[in-house]
Amino acid sequence: MSLYQNLLLLTAISAFLSIASACSDGQCKLLDECSSDGDCEAGLYCFACQQGFSGSRCVRSTVTNQFKLLNNSLPFNKYAFLTTHNAYAIDGYPLHTPVPRVTFTNQEDMITDQLNNGARALMLDTYDFDGDVWMCHSFGGQCHDITAFGPAIDYLKEIEAFLSANTEEIVTLILEDYVGPNGLTKVFTDAGLMKYWFPVSNMPKNGEDWPLVSDMVANNQRLLVFTSIQSKEASEGIAYQWNYMVENQYGDGGMQAGTCPNRAESSGLDDKTKSLVLVNYFHSTSSKEKTCEDNSGDLINMLRTCYAAAGNRWANFVAVDYYKRSEGGGSFQAVDTLNGKLLCGCDDIHACVAGSTSGACTP
């Protein structure tokens, strides 16, 4: 056999071995190359992030359930939760107005998918529109046909179905609220959500711990709703967000490395009379291309910066756009890091010894 033939044979063997050794059929692990979601093992999906790697690789698609992995016996404020910013503003959401929608989106999955993948807090913009309560981006402070997504009740019914099917889970709704008196109360009632309502009377007023998650579950008080309108706490029993939570600046102003300023409506992040901490990390104008990089190492670095700004308190909520886009672990790893820090002082919840909050870590 000639040298040329030998080289051809070696090349063919090398190519065959390369193909044979490539993973597929649900066997591909984190950051392995892939050609479809079916190649990746459970909890991963096949994604291309040009800023992070070449081609397509398996990246995370779900959060670790801290309650199932460790416990649900601590106060609610001792856990962290993935939060989807503008959870309603979904790519391809069915049109409900007579004209095409002309506005930006912030997520790619329906509410049900967001919840099934581990999001436990949803940021929603609610407006009076077309004789009802709608989810909408505003233009000039108003909802319009071209910026409207859909009636709020459609989204809320998805949340009700999730809570009904997942009886040990808790969902938090953070509302940018432009709805008149009693409009929210009616739509929540019509959606069948009042039976899960966590009452304002049980919320800590001066930075104390929240009730135990296990008690919230046992009492079926598994829906927390916060409004941006102060008067509704007294008139409708909807918690005024800034009485219970501090929050950093949203948009580009909250993405400057090394700084974590509070948004204007919030008291300072180090105000410990508020026992919940929310960290935003998303651009003022959403960008799918930038998000896979944003939701990776830069996000975790910002969580560390905001920890110091919040008086050495780790965030309970981390809000992102396009929550599944990342260079690998993404927003899911960020939440695992927060829960590791909150529950046992480790850098990852998987390093916590099951059932322990002593600070011990496994190797």
Side-chain angles (χ1 to χ4, degrees), residues 185-335:
T185 298
K186 181 180 185 303
V187 74
F188 276 103
T189 300
D190 292 346
L193 284 169
M194 297 308 293
K195 58 182 173 288
Y196 305 113
W197 199 269
F198 188 91
V200 168
S201 59
N202 290 354
M203 295 183 179
K205 297 297 190 288
N206 292 295
E208 303 95 342
D209 282 339
W210 282 66
L212 306 182
V213 167
S214 54
D215 289 342
M216 295 168 68
V217 169
N219 295 327
N220 203 33
Q221 296 173 341
R222 298 185 291 116
L223 180 68
L224 280 69
V225 182
F226 295 96
T227 175
S228 56
I229 298 179
Q230 186 172 11
S231 62
K232 288 189 179 181
E233 180 158 327
S235 63
E236 297 184 57
I238 306 174
Y240 179 53
Q241 180 182 354
W242 312 117
N243 285 342
Y244 308 95
M245 187 185 301
V246 294
E247 178 180 344
N248 74 321
Q249 178 60 43
Y250 55 88
D252 295 340
M255 300 187 74
Q256 305 302 313
T259 65
C260 187
N262 59 283
R263 67 179 288 173
E265 299 90 337
S266 170
S267 57
L269 266 68
D270 60 352
D271 179 0
K272 294 187 178 180
T273 67
K274 317 294 189 294
S275 50
L276 295 173
V277 178
L278 166 62
V279 171
N280 297 301
Y281 200 70
F282 50 82
H283 288 283
S284 299
T285 302
S286 61
S287 167
K288 289 181 181 178
E289 291 71 24
K290 293 179 181 177
T291 300
C292 74
E293 184 176 20
D294 295 336
N295 288 352
S296 300
D298 291 347
L299 172 59
I300 292 180
N301 289 338
M302 182 56 70
L303 292 173
R304 296 182 186 278
T305 298
C306 292
Y307 165 78
N312 296 336
R313 292 186 296 168
W314 293 104
N316 303 106
F317 302 101
V318 54
V320 297
D321 284 340
Y322 304 118
Y323 71 104
K324 285 172 61 177
R325 290 177 169 257
S326 78
E327 297 175 350
S331 61
F332 306 108
Q333 182 57 51
V335 175

